[in-house]
Amino acid sequence: MTTVSDGDLEALAERLIAEGEVRGEPAADPVNLPMIRHWVDAMGDTNPIYTDPVFAAAGVHGEIVAPPAMAQVWTMPGPRGGKTTRSTVDDLLAAVNAAGYTGVVATNCEQTYHRYARLGDLLTPATRLTSMIGPKLTALGQGYFVTWNVTWYDADGEPVTEMLFRVLKFRPRTRGESGNGAASREAAATAAREAASRPAAPGATAQAEGGGPAKGSAGPGSGGGRRPYPLKPAKNQDTEFFWEGVAAGELRIQRCGDCGALRHPPGPMCLACRSTATGYTVAAGTGEVYSYVVHHHPPVPGRETPFVVAVVALPEGVRVVGNVVDCAPEDVGIGLPVRVTFQAMDDELTLPMWTPLDEPAGGTR
Amino acid sequence: MTATVKYDEVEAGQEIPARDFPVSRLSLVMYAGASGDFNVIHWNERIAKSVGLPDVIAHGMFTMAQGGRFVTDWAGDPGAVVDYGVRFSAPVVVPDDDQGAVITISGVVEEKLGDNKVVVALKAYSGDSRVLSKARAVVKLA
């Protein structure tokens, strides 16, 4: 499957980035009221500045304007494509797919509105491939962050809107060949290819946004018919409340039923007053890395190395051991603010893990 | 629309009350047509699930645009948004039932800049999932 190496990709990216801004074809139609009306209807936005000429005439623009978030709509190619010009983004994404990074999630979108588009504006996109960063290990799998910028120009060549768009192109995690794993992997690859063919068009943007790691495609054995995660936590009468909390999306910390002292991991007796009466409190779910290791070896069933194991200090006053995910191991450090995230490991097991509270640009969450 | 918010009357730290924006399968079908984004994961449950998603998910640009509209409605001047950026941190899952999903958006005036501009930081949740992170809009007020 892999016919393009990472080295090839990086060389190609460098070449394509050097091409700079490449103009696309102008929009099929100028900015027009029917398309605006369909769009604001879909949004449920009844602001008359976008549709009522009398109201709009009295507003700051003095005429009807298009909602700024319609920026990329004017030059979307539609499901039948029909684009004839090549783009550096298309070229790179095709190669990234060929290298096996067939999954895609959008991670960032930033728009700058120089002015609001007016009825009759004919917009022409120009696309610049900006960067390809990676390969990085993310919760979705190994992948590259690909960033491009689009500027839409009006008929006078003045910029109307600029957009930065970033996607993570990832190699879907491999699973065992048993069950329907292979079939669903093929389906995933097909859908991912379909998705990946879209954002490359200048202005064609949205695809599998926010395929967040906790929500399915991240866990080992994602897709239909998950492979059971091989390591199961030991549950007993002392820890049962903790795992019930995890299943309910809560991080529960044991609290002494008499003196109220918190303790973790859970145990049968309070270390402060020796009471065996227990209860729990629900932690806020934030903390900071107190210490950590990066596990490279030996291999752990069901896991991909390297991964981070951290001791996280909670504001409640206890420390909890867990993985830090959604960022590269080198981005983890002592004092890193984190929040809890519940990761589905298979159809039944969920594990609490930690994710940077304020991830650097380019993370997946 | 709403009354126009004045720059001089806004303070850093000021909160913008949360609003709910419902999303149904109908919204997504309409948005697909209106935006030209026909990616299957936004309308085809079978394929969405086959790629590991829990169900059909909303277009990220739909969620982002609702955030922009939230700011616009607050500012009372749709010409006001100058810059707007988000991270897509979790999908908005839209089940095929009568309720669909709800995106709850709230904001806070994070900073007052010169030239009548303010930075509004947005929070967008769908259920317990934070669906946009690092969402900030620069808005020019009256």
Side-chain angles (χ1 to χ4, degrees):
Chain A
M1 174 170 183
T2 300
T3 54
V4 181
S5 75
D6 289 355
D8 294 341
L9 278 184
E10 283 153 30
L12 176 66
E14 198 174 324
R15 211 163 62 239
L16 292 170
I17 288 168
E19 284 193 40
E21 190 174 79
V22 180
R23 288 230 165 195
E25 291 176 66
D29 294 296
V31 172
N32 62 84
L33 188 54
M35 282 175 71
I36 292 174
R37 206 189 300 280
H38 281 296
W39 193 91
V40 294
D41 262 0
M43 299 299 299
D45 190 344
T46 55
N47 194 329
I49 198 96
Y50 304 129
T51 52
D52 180 340
V54 176
F55 184 94
V60 286
H61 300 284
E63 59 183 305
I64 285 178
V65 290
M70 282 187 78
Q72 75 283 358
V73 169
W74 305 108
T75 51
M76 287 290 274
R80 288 179 202 84
K83 219 164 64 70
T84 52
T85 50
R86 67 173 278 269
S87 96
T88 50
V89 178
D90 285 334
D91 290 356
L92 181 64
L93 291 181
V96 171
N97 279 337
Y101 300 95
T102 52
V104 62
V105 287
T107 62
N108 300 66
C109 180
E110 294 167 20
Q111 298 185 331
T112 300
Y113 311 117
H114 294 285
R115 68 173 175 85
Y116 280 25
R118 298 183 283 262
L119 296 184
D121 269 327
L122 186 64
L123 301 173
T124 301
T127 304
R128 176 165 54 89
L129 181 65
T130 317
S131 69
M132 184 181 79
I133 294 169
K136 294 228 180 210
L137 187 67
T138 74
L140 291 168
Q142 178 131 316
Y144 283 97
F145 290 97
V146 180
T147 306
W148 62 92
N149 291 68
V150 185
T151 304
W152 286 271
Y153 294 94
D154 65 16
D156 297 328
E158 296 295 324
V160 176
T161 306
E162 291 177 50
M163 178 173 75
L164 171 151
F165 208 79
R166 179 174 299 133
V167 298
L168 169 66
K169 289 289 296 167
F170 61 95
R171 186 173 277 161
R173 298 197 170 195
T174 51
R175 297 180 289 273
E177 298 300 320
S178 61
N180 59 4
S184 63
R185 192 157 58 249
E186 184 49 39
T190 302
R193 270 195 297 277
E194 192 161 340
S197 71
R198 318 245 339 142
T205 52
Q207 51 284 295
E209 298 86 358
K215 291 290 184 279
S217 52
S222 61
R226 286 184 163 202
R227 201 166 185 198
Y229 183 65
L231 303 175
K232 300 291 181 195
K235 295 179 190 175
N236 58 37
Q237 59 184 12
D238 291 326
T239 62
E240 200 173 9
F241 79 96
F242 179 85
W243 293 109
E244 283 172 357
V246 168
E250 291 179 354
L251 183 64
R252 295 178 179 173
I253 302 298
Q254 196 173 44
R255 181 169 57 192
C256 174
D258 281 314
C259 76
L262 299 180
R263 61 182 188 266
H264 187 90
M269 183 182 282
C270 176
L271 302 175
C273 74
R274 300 185 185 176
S275 165
T276 53
T278 61
Y280 65 86
T281 186
V282 177
T286 55
E288 64 177 47
V289 172
Y290 179 76
S291 186
Y292 71 103
V293 295
V294 180
H295 183 105
H296 293 272
H297 194 77
V300 176
R303 302 298 299 269
E304 271 184 23
T305 55
F307 57 85
V308 174
V309 183
V311 178
V312 175
L314 308 191
E316 288 82 4
V318 298
R319 295 175 190 151
V320 176
V321 175
N323 296 122
V324 178
V325 294
D326 299 344
C327 67
E330 57 266 31
D331 293 337
V332 176
I334 288 171
L336 177 74
V338 289
R339 65 176 164 79
V340 73
T341 175
F342 296 95
Q343 304 269 322
M345 306 308 290
D346 58 28
D347 289 341
E348 279 158 21
L349 177 66
T350 297
L351 292 179
M353 295 187 182
W354 299 89
T355 185
L357 193 59
D358 199 15
E359 316 96 300
T364 58
R365 285 182 70 88
Chain B
M1 287 305 286
T2 49
T4 300
V5 173
K6 301 275 198 303
Y7 177 79
D8 292 337
E9 294 164 5
V10 170
E11 286 174 25
Q14 181 175 329
E15 294 192 3
I16 307 171
R19 282 177 62 193
D20 284 347
F21 298 92
V23 197
S24 64
R25 289 288 178 88
L26 175 63
S27 318
L28 299 187
V29 170
M30 289 171 75
Y31 186 82
S35 70
D37 183 343
F38 294 93
N39 190 308
V40 285
I41 59 171
H42 303 308
W43 53 269
N44 186 319
E45 193 168 313
R46 173 176 53 87
I47 293 183
K49 287 184 171 169
S50 78
V51 298
L53 294 166
D55 206 330
V56 162
I57 65 170
H59 303 72
M61 298 304 276
F62 177 93
T63 306
M64 179 177 178
Q66 290 294 18
R69 170 190 170 194
F70 173 84
V71 173
T72 295
D73 284 355
W74 168 73
D77 173 358
V81 182
V82 179
D83 265 296
Y84 180 34
V86 304
R87 291 190 54 191
F88 302 111
S89 45
V92 175
V93 179
V94 183
D96 181 21
D97 58 23
D98 295 337
Q99 278 78 44
V102 173
I103 303 169
T104 303
I105 303 177
S106 60
V108 61
V109 177
E110 193 172 68
E111 192 184 352
K112 287 183 82 169
L113 309 173
D115 196 25
N116 279 21
K117 291 176 188 168
V118 300
V119 180
V120 176
L122 297 177
K123 284 185 178 173
Y125 284 86
S126 179
D128 293 334
S129 296
R130 186 165 188 180
V131 293
L132 297 179
S133 65
K134 288 179 182 283
R136 277 181 181 73
V138 177
V139 193
K140 186 158 182 169
L141 298 176

